[in-house]
Amino acid sequence: MTINMEIASVFKRYTANQSKIDVSGKNIGEVLQDMARQYPETRKVFLDEEGRLLRSYDIFINGKSVYPLKPETPVKEGDKLDLVMIINGG
């Protein structure tokens, strides 16, 4: 199943200069692993040692945040994912 993922343009240097990529998976964990398989540089930027998304990032599925992220969160064909950096401040 193909899922469209959009990544902030500042990170597209890790995805062959593309801000929109197609990834596969039945859930967020599988999608992230497929992203890392296709674009190995993303692993060191977005994922921890266990392959989970770092806490400084969030994923939106069809415009809705899934924070805090659970790898088993399901996705389906046609979903649009946005991978964004969480900006902290005070």
Side-chain angles (χ1 to χ4, degrees), residues 44-66:
K44 66 183 177 185
V45 176
F46 299 115
L47 307 178
D48 67 13
E49 302 83 37
E50 285 87 41
R52 294 178 302 218
L53 190 66
L54 293 170
R55 292 192 296 166
S56 55
Y57 298 98
D58 190 7
I59 291 184
F60 286 72
I61 301 175
N62 300 320
K64 184 177 179 188
S65 172
V66 294

mmCIF file of all heavy atoms in Angstrom, residues 44-66:
data_model
loop_
_atom_site.group_PDB
_atom_site.id
_atom_site.type_symbol
_atom_site.label_atom_id
_atom_site.label_comp_id
_atom_site.label_asym_id
_atom_site.label_seq_id
_atom_site.Cartn_x
_atom_site.Cartn_y
_atom_site.Cartn_z
ATOM 1 N N LYS A 44 19.281 8.620 10.677
ATOM 2 C CA LYS A 44 20.039 9.340 11.701
ATOM 3 C C LYS A 44 19.403 10.675 12.087
ATOM 4 O O LYS A 44 19.679 11.209 13.155
ATOM 5 C CB LYS A 44 21.485 9.533 11.269
ATOM 6 C CG LYS A 44 21.668 10.419 10.076
ATOM 7 C CD LYS A 44 23.126 10.499 9.675
ATOM 8 C CE LYS A 44 23.290 11.336 8.429
ATOM 9 N NZ LYS A 44 24.644 11.344 7.944
ATOM 10 N N VAL A 45 18.532 11.210 11.252
ATOM 11 C CA VAL A 45 17.905 12.506 11.521
ATOM 12 C C VAL A 45 16.581 12.354 12.280
ATOM 13 O O VAL A 45 16.309 13.104 13.204
ATOM 14 C CB VAL A 45 17.658 13.272 10.195
ATOM 15 C CG1 VAL A 45 16.921 14.573 10.449
ATOM 16 C CG2 VAL A 45 18.958 13.516 9.476
ATOM 17 N N PHE A 46 15.777 11.363 11.891
ATOM 18 C CA PHE A 46 14.420 11.251 12.419
ATOM 19 C C PHE A 46 14.196 10.118 13.421
ATOM 20 O O PHE A 46 13.233 10.162 14.182
ATOM 21 C CB PHE A 46 13.423 11.059 11.268
ATOM 22 C CG PHE A 46 13.386 12.183 10.294
ATOM 23 C CD1 PHE A 46 13.771 12.006 8.979
ATOM 24 C CD2 PHE A 46 12.965 13.451 10.680
ATOM 25 C CE1 PHE A 46 13.730 13.047 8.061
ATOM 26 C CE2 PHE A 46 12.927 14.503 9.780
ATOM 27 C CZ PHE A 46 13.310 14.289 8.470
ATOM 28 N N LEU A 47 15.048 9.103 13.429
ATOM 29 C CA LEU A 47 14.769 7.900 14.213
ATOM 30 C C LEU A 47 15.799 7.646 15.304
ATOM 31 O O LEU A 47 16.964 7.981 15.156
ATOM 32 C CB LEU A 47 14.703 6.684 13.287
ATOM 33 C CG LEU A 47 13.748 6.786 12.092
ATOM 34 C CD1 LEU A 47 13.834 5.528 11.245
ATOM 35 C CD2 LEU A 47 12.335 7.068 12.534
ATOM 36 N N ASP A 48 15.335 7.008 16.390
ATOM 37 C CA ASP A 48 16.255 6.624 17.457
ATOM 38 C C ASP A 48 16.864 5.255 17.137
ATOM 39 O O ASP A 48 16.629 4.693 16.067
ATOM 40 C CB ASP A 48 15.564 6.659 18.827
ATOM 41 C CG ASP A 48 14.481 5.598 18.999
ATOM 42 O OD1 ASP A 48 14.391 4.654 18.169
ATOM 43 O OD2 ASP A 48 13.715 5.701 19.979
ATOM 44 N N GLU A 49 17.624 4.690 18.083
ATOM 45 C CA GLU A 49 18.321 3.422 17.863
ATOM 46 C C GLU A 49 17.367 2.263 17.582
ATOM 47 O O GLU A 49 17.720 1.300 16.914
ATOM 48 C CB GLU A 49 19.193 3.057 19.071
ATOM 49 C CG GLU A 49 20.239 4.080 19.450
ATOM 50 C CD GLU A 49 19.661 5.199 20.315
ATOM 51 O OE1 GLU A 49 18.786 4.950 21.166
ATOM 52 O OE2 GLU A 49 20.077 6.346 20.117
ATOM 53 N N GLU A 50 16.157 2.336 18.129
ATOM 54 C CA GLU A 50 15.163 1.277 17.919
ATOM 55 C C GLU A 50 14.295 1.519 16.680
ATOM 56 O O GLU A 50 13.367 0.762 16.420
ATOM 57 C CB GLU A 50 14.259 1.124 19.148
ATOM 58 C CG GLU A 50 14.937 0.432 20.318
ATOM 59 C CD GLU A 50 15.693 1.417 21.186
ATOM 60 O OE1 GLU A 50 15.176 2.520 21.427
ATOM 61 O OE2 GLU A 50 16.807 1.089 21.620
ATOM 62 N N GLY A 51 14.563 2.588 15.946
ATOM 63 C CA GLY A 51 13.801 2.878 14.749
ATOM 64 C C GLY A 51 12.512 3.638 14.991
ATOM 65 O O GLY A 51 11.672 3.745 14.105
ATOM 66 N N ARG A 52 12.355 4.187 16.184
ATOM 67 C CA ARG A 52 11.160 4.985 16.509
ATOM 68 C C ARG A 52 11.438 6.459 16.208
ATOM 69 O O ARG A 52 12.567 6.927 16.316
ATOM 70 C CB ARG A 52 10.805 4.827 17.987
ATOM 71 C CG ARG A 52 10.363 3.413 18.342
ATOM 72 C CD ARG A 52 10.089 3.323 19.811
ATOM 73 N NE ARG A 52 11.308 3.709 20.533
ATOM 74 C CZ ARG A 52 11.743 3.148 21.636
ATOM 75 N NH1 ARG A 52 11.076 2.192 22.193
ATOM 76 N NH2 ARG A 52 12.855 3.558 22.211
ATOM 77 N N LEU A 53 10.371 7.165 15.876
ATOM 78 C CA LEU A 53 10.490 8.591 15.595
ATOM 79 C C LEU A 53 10.962 9.331 16.835
ATOM 80 O O LEU A 53 10.445 9.110 17.940
ATOM 81 C CB LEU A 53 9.125 9.146 15.145
ATOM 82 C CG LEU A 53 9.123 10.566 14.591
ATOM 83 C CD1 LEU A 53 9.909 10.641 13.284
ATOM 84 C CD2 LEU A 53 7.685 11.014 14.356
ATOM 85 N N LEU A 54 11.953 10.194 16.671
ATOM 86 C CA LEU A 54 12.446 10.998 17.788
ATOM 87 C C LEU A 54 11.336 11.909 18.308
ATOM 88 O O LEU A 54 10.458 12.338 17.552
ATOM 89 C CB LEU A 54 13.645 11.844 17.339
ATOM 90 C CG LEU A 54 14.896 11.055 16.972
ATOM 91 C CD1 LEU A 54 15.923 11.973 16.312
ATOM 92 C CD2 LEU A 54 15.494 10.376 18.189
ATOM 93 N N ARG A 55 11.378 12.224 19.594
ATOM 94 C CA ARG A 55 10.309 13.021 20.218
ATOM 95 C C ARG A 55 10.259 14.460 19.740
ATOM 96 O O ARG A 55 9.300 15.161 19.995
ATOM 97 C CB ARG A 55 10.442 12.983 21.743
ATOM 98 C CG ARG A 55 10.156 11.598 22.271
ATOM 99 C CD ARG A 55 9.986 11.568 23.753
ATOM 100 N NE ARG A 55 11.200 11.951 24.445
ATOM 101 C CZ ARG A 55 11.254 12.255 25.723
ATOM 102 N NH1 ARG A 55 10.173 12.231 26.458
ATOM 103 N NH2 ARG A 55 12.399 12.596 26.268
ATOM 104 N N SER A 56 11.259 14.914 19.008
ATOM 105 C CA SER A 56 11.248 16.283 18.501
ATOM 106 C C SER A 56 10.489 16.405 17.183
ATOM 107 O O SER A 56 10.453 17.475 16.593
ATOM 108 C CB SER A 56 12.675 16.811 18.349
ATOM 109 O OG SER A 56 13.429 15.940 17.547
ATOM 110 N N TYR A 57 9.854 15.299 16.748
ATOM 111 C CA TYR A 57 9.077 15.301 15.506
ATOM 112 C C TYR A 57 7.662 14.804 15.776
ATOM 113 O O TYR A 57 7.409 14.103 16.737
ATOM 114 C CB TYR A 57 9.736 14.415 14.439
ATOM 115 C CG TYR A 57 11.097 14.893 14.058
ATOM 116 C CD1 TYR A 57 12.231 14.324 14.615
ATOM 117 C CD2 TYR A 57 11.257 15.936 13.158
ATOM 118 C CE1 TYR A 57 13.495 14.780 14.280
ATOM 119 C CE2 TYR A 57 12.518 16.392 12.822
ATOM 120 C CZ TYR A 57 13.632 15.813 13.385
ATOM 121 O OH TYR A 57 14.881 16.272 13.060
ATOM 122 N N ASP A 58 6.775 15.170 14.887
ATOM 123 C CA ASP A 58 5.389 14.721 14.959
ATOM 124 C C ASP A 58 4.956 14.304 13.563
ATOM 125 O O ASP A 58 5.508 14.759 12.567
ATOM 126 C CB ASP A 58 4.486 15.853 15.478
ATOM 127 C CG ASP A 58 3.078 15.398 15.818
ATOM 128 O OD1 ASP A 58 2.797 14.185 15.797
ATOM 129 O OD2 ASP A 58 2.241 16.275 16.104
ATOM 130 N N ILE A 59 3.981 13.435 13.515
ATOM 131 C CA ILE A 59 3.383 13.036 12.247
ATOM 132 C C ILE A 59 1.908 13.392 12.286
ATOM 133 O O ILE A 59 1.224 13.158 13.291
ATOM 134 C CB ILE A 59 3.571 11.535 11.978
ATOM 135 C CG1 ILE A 59 5.044 11.246 11.714
ATOM 136 C CG2 ILE A 59 2.712 11.080 10.802
ATOM 137 C CD1 ILE A 59 5.360 9.830 11.343
ATOM 138 N N PHE A 60 1.451 13.976 11.198
ATOM 139 C CA PHE A 60 0.036 14.267 11.015
ATOM 140 C C PHE A 60 -0.492 13.302 9.965
ATOM 141 O O PHE A 60 0.137 13.117 8.922
ATOM 142 C CB PHE A 60 -0.168 15.704 10.531
ATOM 143 C CG PHE A 60 0.054 16.741 11.592
ATOM 144 C CD1 PHE A 60 1.330 17.031 12.055
ATOM 145 C CD2 PHE A 60 -1.020 17.427 12.123
ATOM 146 C CE1 PHE A 60 1.534 17.992 13.026
ATOM 147 C CE2 PHE A 60 -0.826 18.400 13.092
ATOM 148 C CZ PHE A 60 0.452 18.676 13.547
ATOM 149 N N ILE A 61 -1.621 12.673 10.251
ATOM 150 C CA ILE A 61 -2.296 11.818 9.285
ATOM 151 C C ILE A 61 -3.526 12.572 8.827
ATOM 152 O O ILE A 61 -4.404 12.877 9.627
ATOM 153 C CB ILE A 61 -2.700 10.465 9.890
ATOM 154 C CG1 ILE A 61 -1.475 9.710 10.405
ATOM 155 C CG2 ILE A 61 -3.459 9.618 8.843
ATOM 156 C CD1 ILE A 61 -1.808 8.406 11.119
ATOM 157 N N ASN A 62 -3.549 12.897 7.547
ATOM 158 C CA ASN A 62 -4.678 13.645 6.967
ATOM 159 C C ASN A 62 -4.988 14.909 7.779
ATOM 160 O O ASN A 62 -6.138 15.227 8.051
ATOM 161 C CB ASN A 62 -5.907 12.753 6.839
ATOM 162 C CG ASN A 62 -5.639 11.559 5.958
ATOM 163 O OD1 ASN A 62 -4.972 11.663 4.935
ATOM 164 N ND2 ASN A 62 -6.140 10.411 6.359
ATOM 165 N N GLY A 63 -3.936 15.599 8.197
ATOM 166 C CA GLY A 63 -4.080 16.870 8.891
ATOM 167 C C GLY A 63 -4.275 16.775 10.392
ATOM 168 O O GLY A 63 -4.376 17.788 11.066
ATOM 169 N N LYS A 64 -4.293 15.562 10.955
ATOM 170 C CA LYS A 64 -4.513 15.400 12.395
ATOM 171 C C LYS A 64 -3.265 14.800 13.049
ATOM 172 O O LYS A 64 -2.767 13.759 12.635
ATOM 173 C CB LYS A 64 -5.711 14.487 12.650
ATOM 174 C CG LYS A 64 -6.040 14.353 14.100
ATOM 175 C CD LYS A 64 -7.269 13.510 14.316
ATOM 176 C CE LYS A 64 -7.520 13.410 15.820
ATOM 177 N NZ LYS A 64 -8.575 12.474 16.132
ATOM 178 N N SER A 65 -2.789 15.478 14.101
ATOM 179 C CA SER A 65 -1.608 15.022 14.818
ATOM 180 C C SER A 65 -1.867 13.669 15.479
ATOM 181 O O SER A 65 -2.946 13.426 16.008
ATOM 182 C CB SER A 65 -1.219 16.040 15.893
ATOM 183 O OG SER A 65 -0.187 15.530 16.712
ATOM 184 N N VAL A 66 -0.859 12.806 15.460
ATOM 185 C CA VAL A 66 -0.947 11.535 16.167
ATOM 186 C C VAL A 66 0.032 11.501 17.350
ATOM 187 O O VAL A 66 0.413 10.446 17.819
ATOM 188 C CB VAL A 66 -0.719 10.329 15.221
ATOM 189 C CG1 VAL A 66 -1.833 10.231 14.216
ATOM 190 C CG2 VAL A 66 0.623 10.397 14.536
#
